Amino acid sequence: MSTMPSFGPEASVASAATMTLSMESGAESPLPKPKRKPPRGRPSLFVAAMECEGDLGNGLIVEAFDISRALFVSSVSTNSCTAVGRYNETAPEDKRIGPGDYIVAVGERTELKEMRSLMEDKAFELVVRRPHLFKVVVPKAGRPIGLGIMYLPDSAAITIKRIDKAGAAYAAGVDLIVGDRLVAVNGRSGSADALLAELRRSTSPELTVSRCG
């Protein structure tokens, strides 16, 4: 599958692919209001104290784009010589950091670049939020799905950067907003390319959505 080149200024990490899942252009809606209420309940929030020893660093791989409100945890090391590996070994199960979690602050800082910088220190505190996961079905009914997206080459999630008014997602009135991440399509997870292929193939895709709060 071919993807468009990187959007350098738009992504806060390098080599991000970006495209519009549409065969025709349409008016853009930066933040359409959902026509139904989102599911009740909020993800849990906790603080994790990190201490780095040696040269292996914190053991976390995170993703973020300029539209993001938090750092998305894409990979977590199990090596006890890394900060997160050591933390997870002793933390209660409900406060262990895992892939798919969001880092909403480092210490008292919430700006993406500052958080990344502080995570290179020897000791720091992470404020972690569990993802709010839910599913929506988008009947295409002959329309393009109408989502502008971005993702990293090794990512297992697709980030929504635009919702077109001419597309099926907007017409269906489903609860999608800019910054949401698609982590599965029709119950199938995997690479971003695999998610895109399933999204294109399906006439009424069921999207598993991850939202930060």
Side-chain angles (χ1 to χ4, degrees):
M1 175 184 302
S2 62
T3 60
M4 291 177 63
S6 161
F7 250 28
E10 190 166 20
S12 59
V13 283
S15 303
T18 176
M19 65 179 68
T20 299
L21 294 175
S22 171
M23 298 301 291
E24 59 187 2
S25 61
E28 297 177 3
S29 173
L31 283 172
K33 295 181 180 180
K35 298 180 182 178
R36 67 172 178 83
K37 293 182 179 180
R40 292 183 179 181
R42 293 184 63 82
S44 59
L45 192 73
F46 62 94
V47 176
M50 300 281 111
E51 292 186 7
C52 298
E53 297 179 3
D55 299 324
L56 293 183
N58 59 49
L60 290 165
I61 297 177
V62 298
E63 302 173 8
F65 300 96
D66 289 348
I67 61 171
S68 305
R69 295 183 296 151
L71 300 175
F72 179 75
V73 179
S74 62
S75 178
V76 176
S77 174
T78 58
N79 189 329
S80 61
C81 293
T82 64
V84 70
R86 187 164 50 255
Y87 166 82
N88 278 345
E89 280 189 346
T90 59
E93 186 173 356
D94 64 343
K95 291 188 176 180
R96 292 173 189 166
I97 302 171
D101 285 341
Y102 290 92
I103 297 170
V104 297
V106 179
E108 297 182 354
R109 312 307 297 180
T110 59
E111 199 276 331
L112 296 178
K113 290 183 179 179
E114 287 184 306
M115 287 196 287
R116 283 181 171 278
S117 178
L118 290 171
M119 287 174 64
E120 296 177 1
D121 291 347
K122 288 294 185 181
F124 51 90
E125 284 190 342
L126 301 177
V127 181
V128 182
R129 185 181 291 281
R130 299 296 191 204
H132 175 28
L133 296 171
F134 59 97
K135 296 179 180 180
V136 299
V137 176
V138 181
K140 290 182 180 176
R143 297 173 182 250
I145 197 166
L147 296 176
I149 59 147
M150 60 179 74
Y151 62 94
L152 298 175
D154 298 327
S155 181
I158 297 169
T159 300
I160 297 174
K161 73 183 182 85
R162 190 181 68 253
I163 301 172
D164 296 338
K165 287 184 177 180
Y170 186 88
V174 293
D175 182 15
L176 290 175
I177 61 175
V178 170
D180 281 348
R181 281 180 165 80
L182 308 183
V183 295
V185 180
N186 294 330
R188 300 179 182 180
S189 57
S191 69
D193 284 342
L195 296 179
L196 285 171
E198 184 68 16
L199 196 57
R200 289 192 173 104
R201 182 195 66 79
S202 179
T203 57
S204 189
E206 178 190 71
L207 311 179
T208 301
V209 184
S210 171
R211 182 177 296 170
C212 180

